[in-house]
Amino acid sequence: QVKLVESGGGLVQPGGSLRLSCAASGFTFSNYAMSWYRQAPGKERELVATITSTSVITSYAASVKGRFTISRDNAKNTVYLQMNSLKPEDTAVYYCSTYPLPHWGQGTQVTVSS
């Protein structure tokens, strides 16, 4: 079965950075595109970034483009999200997932606050 374990979240001040990791198992990781989603309180889960199976193509939500970078290491079955210049509106639980058909982990909380 698919297992996704997110880590790296925490409390950071506006303008700060965090690097999220997602360890994947239970499927052939290198065959799947992967994505990061986030869900803020009272809002729907939104797609933040995607990366193709061999990292040829990445895409980002307009709200994070230029600030966030998705990457992956297929040898480690891990996908990353480097988040820079964080804003309070980035506060959310962040989830990684297979794409486009999702499988969800437990998520990791990111809080951007002074």
Side-chain angles (χ1 to χ4, degrees):
Q1 63 275 10
V2 173
K3 183 178 180 182
L4 300 168
V5 181
E6 299 94 339
S7 62
L11 175 64
V12 64
Q13 293 186 342
S17 297
L18 286 172
R19 185 174 177 84
L20 307 183
S21 298
C22 173
S25 61
F27 65 104
T28 304
F29 180 77
S30 61
N31 288 167
Y32 286 82
M34 296 292 294
S35 295
W36 285 94
Y37 293 77
R38 67 187 182 187
Q39 188 164 27
K43 296 187 177 181
E44 294 184 351
R45 192 167 298 186
E46 66 171 336
L47 180 63
V48 173
T50 60
I51 187 166
T52 54
S53 61
T54 58
S55 304
V56 173
I57 300 172
T58 57
S59 62
Y60 300 91
S63 58
V64 308
K65 191 174 180 66
R67 300 188 297 121
F68 291 11
T69 303
I70 188 170
S71 61
R72 67 192 294 161
D73 186 339
N74 285 349
K76 297 181 178 179
N77 283 11
T78 302
V79 61
Y80 306 94
L81 187 68
Q82 177 67 46
M83 306 186 296
N84 299 326
S85 302
L86 283 161
K87 304 175 180 179
E89 52 262 45
D90 295 320
T91 296
V93 178
Y94 283 72
Y95 302 87
C96 69
S97 177
T98 49
Y99 185 88
L101 299 177
H103 292 84
W104 306 110
Q106 83 289 347
T108 186
Q109 176 71 48
V110 172
T111 302
V112 184
S113 177
S114 297

